[in-house]
Amino acid sequence: AGGEVRWLREAERTLERTLTDFLDDETGALYNTARDHERLLMRYQDGSDGATPSANAVAAQALARISYHLDRPDLRHAAVRALKAFGSLIARYPRGFAKSLCAVDFMLEGPVELAFVGSAGSADLEALQREVAGHYLPNRIQAVLDPDSPAGAEELPLLAGKTLVDGKAALYVCHDFACQAPVTESEDIGSQLESAEMREPVGTTIAIRLPGAATAEGTARYSARFDAAGFAHLGSSELAASQLGFGGYRVHDMAPEHREALKLALRSGVNLIDTSTNYTDGASERLIGSALRELIDAAELSRDEVIVVSKIGYVQGSNLESAQQRETSGRPYPEMVKYEEGLWHCIHPEFLDSQLDGSLDRLELETLDLCLLHNPEYFLSDAARSGRSPEQAREEFYRRLKEAFAYLETQVAEGRIAGYGVSSNTAASPASDVDMIAAAKEAGSTGHHFRVLQLPLNLLEAEAAIERKDGVDGEQTVLEVALEQDIAVFVNRPLNAFVRNTLVRVADVEVDEAASQFEEQLDRLADLEFTFHSEIAPELSGPENSAPLNDVFRMADSLKQLHQAGVGLAHWSQIEAQIRYSVRTIASAIDLRAEGETADRWAEWRESYLADADDLLLELRRQAARTSEAYAASLTAAIDPTLPQDRRTESLSRKALWTVMSTPGVTCVLNGMRTAAYVDDSLAVLGWEKLDSPERVYEAAKAALDSIGA
């Protein structure tokens, strides 16, 4: 406030000490107690405001302010991490995080920078300072240079090159160290400050994006640290991509085990990461961005060594809410495919542009190495349902695809992406492969940047590797066409197969042999549901509680049918997640509705019901595991004769990964490795020599599938 630089330096020292003593290295938040504090039952982190502002938020704002004063991006990044650690809670309960939001606003807008030059105590300097004090500028930093006694002020970036003007005190109004003409008269200050305040906001994120992108030199340097045999050229680029990639599906930035798994993979020879804007509603991209930054800041990696892939197309979660709000306000995204309730899809350039902005923000990158259109074939499915002829639908599909590619070519030119491609669950036709490449050539000529095709391939879904259909040179597989056209192929779902509309896990399964009395528990659950509907629901359905409760808590019949269906573990896991989410949501809603004696009866009933339901779900999980165990045993028995003797004792998941990784035309196999154990299990395959004839394994697996039947 007084302009003495020694206080600024003292603040810098104090904040550096704050980070040393209080920082949670894992999340970036700041603890309330120092590292050398006496041991407590729990070391507390205070994210929300109480009677006083959150300590974490105060520290974050101080770090942000000092970072602008001294042009220290490292301290600004520390402020960003402290705030992002509570990002999900801030989004959900903004009123509890007012001080955090002040810091967010400060960094999004960037401060107005005020540089005063004048002799201490001079009338002209005080007149300028007095005028500025009359303006409300919460997002500002200021510094004072006394030409008679600079005392270190000349070291401050904001004061560099600043001087008196014709011997008079002057004020320089700046933003990002770019300044307007100096002001010497107080009456001229208002217009400059107003101009500074009215500037167009430029921030879309508080994160500091990492510059650069994956390069041939960087990825070669990375591969040289590991077994180079585990890397392949990424299509027509010179990038060296690990043949095992980290799949970002279902990972979350608030899950420490996911963060540790990703960092382990990056430290162990995996340099390709795949995610999507819709994975865990953006949390997957946030995890990848923060974990990359952590390893790069620690000098364990460099940006040019890592290939980051994200996908755009799905409109779900917060993206769906945003799209619906745009429609309500009369600004809908063009060419939106409303596939079903809760799932829309779009590849129009206007939508792609907004999504790419958000993706780069969450990933904290200036350049995305590869941007893929995520399952654009939703348009074809929707067109078929609406009665459009296949010829018309196909023509319109490729028009939209070409328009999307043309937009992506502009983003390559602007440096926001380095290449692009398509991720498709139905790309099993060589003709579609060729048509996509033709669309890319129309959009970007022969110098197009179409680099990648992503598709599912596993022991039970091997069409892309073994089915030959009409291609450019007679009958070809999709992988043969991709090889011929120098297109990289990323494989997803190597261990999860969709078979007869059922998800099957291609891996060994551990079964908990502990069993419960299923029929008795099911009867007990049915009795509880009858009690709810006959005694409790009527008391919760008065005039003030108009929402009907007729259809809730009717699981007994459904669970009985599932018990008889004999589904596998992978399929059951999806069903179970939906059931638990539904029950939890309904119970939470009734918690808010119940009052008085009804609330007491409801609480007692809920406790019994949830306990019995949990036991039943666990028993169904055990049964599903037994079904999957039997299936895995049959699959193993079928494929083992096609494998070398020394690999037959390996786990089914390793055999499956090895087979796909050995398939000609496959560049990288994307595996979901959400725990360190998954990473360790998968990494072992990277050192194995390629399997001679993966086609034999696929054929054996298909025969096993046919013999098992429906």
Side-chain angles (χ1 to χ4, degrees), residues 569-599:
L569 185 58
H571 192 190
W572 168 251
S573 296
Q574 291 185 325
I575 297 171
E576 183 182 11
Q578 293 171 353
I579 291 173
R580 290 186 181 278
Y581 176 79
S582 176
V583 170
R584 187 169 61 247
T585 302
I586 294 167
S588 298
I590 295 178
D591 285 343
L592 299 175
R593 179 184 291 196
E595 296 178 350
E597 293 183 6
T598 303

Side-chain angles (χ1 to χ4, degrees), residues 12-44:
E12 180 184 27
R13 188 197 68 79
T14 303
L15 285 166
E16 287 177 337
R17 178 64 184 273
T18 299
L19 293 176
T20 299
D21 285 357
F22 296 89
L23 180 65
D24 178 356
D25 294 323
E26 192 64 44
T27 68
L30 295 161
Y31 287 107
N32 283 23
T33 53
R35 294 182 190 277
D36 58 357
H37 192 278
E38 64 180 284
R39 183 175 294 277
L40 302 175
L41 186 63
M42 184 176 73
R43 196 176 174 200
Y44 191 58

Side-chain angles (χ1 to χ4, degrees), residues 389-460:
S389 73
E391 294 76 15
Q392 290 176 326
R394 187 177 180 81
E395 183 179 350
E396 174 63 12
F397 175 71
Y398 281 102
R399 183 197 67 77
R400 294 186 179 195
L401 199 64
K402 185 174 69 173
E403 192 174 324
F405 287 171
Y407 163 76
L408 293 171
E409 289 287 352
T410 68
Q411 300 311 291
V412 173
E414 291 182 17
R416 296 216 297 168
I417 65 174
Y420 61 90
V422 170
S423 174
S424 171
N425 284 334
T426 60
S429 166
S432 65
D433 210 0
V434 172
D435 287 343
M436 279 190 267
I437 296 168
K441 288 179 178 177
E442 285 189 55
S445 72
T446 55
H448 67 82
H449 294 81
F450 186 97
R451 298 279 187 262
V452 173
L453 177 63
Q454 184 177 137
L455 47 77
L457 178 63
N458 51 63
L459 294 183
L460 304 176

Side-chain angles (χ1 to χ4, degrees), residues 154-357:
E154 70 278 0
E155 300 173 12
L156 301 184
L158 181 54
L159 297 177
K162 307 298 190 296
T163 62
L164 297 170
V165 176
D166 296 330
K168 293 182 178 181
L171 168 65
Y172 295 78
V173 179
C174 314
H175 178 65
D176 199 20
F177 303 119
C179 304
Q180 302 181 52
V183 176
T184 57
E185 304 297 332
S186 57
E187 58 265 25
D188 296 330
I189 289 177
S191 60
Q192 284 220 4
L193 293 180
E194 183 178 347
S195 173
E197 283 285 279
M198 293 299 291
R199 70 182 185 276
E200 286 292 322
V202 294
T204 58
T205 175
I206 59 175
I208 302 172
R209 292 180 179 176
L210 280 167
T215 65
E217 180 184 2
T219 55
R221 184 170 63 249
Y222 181 92
S223 68
R225 297 204 297 270
F226 303 96
D227 184 357
F231 291 78
H233 276 309
L234 199 158
S236 58
S237 77
E238 293 299 314
L239 300 179
S242 55
Q243 291 181 287
L244 179 69
F246 187 92
Y249 182 61
R250 291 175 61 196
V251 299
H252 201 289
D253 61 329
M254 300 305 289
E257 66 272 22
H258 298 170
R259 182 180 301 275
E260 288 308 310
L262 174 55
K263 291 194 297 186
L264 175 62
L266 288 167
R267 288 167 173 148
S268 306
V270 174
N271 79 327
L272 192 145
I273 313 169
D274 174 83
T275 183
S276 176
T277 56
N278 74 308
Y279 287 171
T280 51
D281 204 20
S284 174
E285 289 185 321
R286 288 195 297 271
L287 168 69
I288 291 163
S290 59
L292 264 181
R293 168 76 72 164
E294 184 180 340
L295 294 180
I296 289 171
D297 285 349
E300 294 187 57
L301 283 176
S302 61
R303 172 65 187 96
D304 62 351
E305 295 177 333
V306 184
I307 303 165
V308 183
V309 185
S310 195
K311 304 185 285 290
I312 300 174
Y314 280 93
V315 190
Q316 294 175 295
S318 57
N319 281 333
L320 179 57
E321 291 177 11
S322 175
Q324 290 170 333
Q325 289 170 2
R326 283 178 62 106
E327 281 207 348
T328 302
S329 64
R331 300 178 301 109
Y333 286 115
E335 300 178 356
M336 182 67 70
V337 177
K338 298 180 181 179
Y339 190 73
E340 62 185 38
E341 185 177 353
L343 172 57
W344 294 0
H345 195 277
C346 189
I347 60 169
H348 188 274
E350 189 175 335
F351 178 74
L352 296 178
D353 195 61
S354 68
Q355 292 296 291
L356 182 55
D357 271 338

Side-chain angles (χ1 to χ4, degrees), residues 575-648:
I575 297 171
E576 183 182 11
Q578 293 171 353
I579 291 173
R580 290 186 181 278
Y581 176 79
S582 176
V583 170
R584 187 169 61 247
T585 302
I586 294 167
S588 298
I590 295 178
D591 285 343
L592 299 175
R593 179 184 291 196
E595 296 178 350
E597 293 183 6
T598 303
D600 295 335
R601 294 187 64 195
W602 155 251
E604 182 180 353
W605 181 92
R606 180 192 60 191
E607 185 175 352
S608 298
Y609 185 81
L610 293 181
D612 281 347
D614 188 59
D615 286 342
L616 282 167
L617 293 175
L618 288 175
E619 176 57 24
L620 285 170
R621 171 168 281 273
R622 279 191 287 270
Q623 293 176 10
R626 283 194 287 271
T627 299
S628 291
E629 181 186 41
Y631 187 87
S634 298
L635 190 56
T636 297
I639 67 172
D640 271 357
T642 68
L643 301 176
Q645 189 69 42
D646 61 341
R647 296 300 180 200
R648 296 178 186 178

Side-chain angles (χ1 to χ4, degrees), residues 461 493 495-505 567-574 628:
E461 294 177 287
R493 293 200 285 104
L495 303 179
N496 289 314
F498 277 104
V499 179
R500 305 184 184 101
N501 297 318
T502 298
L503 184 64
V504 176
R505 180 73 173 166
V567 300
L569 185 58
H571 192 190
W572 168 251
S573 296
Q574 291 185 325
S628 291

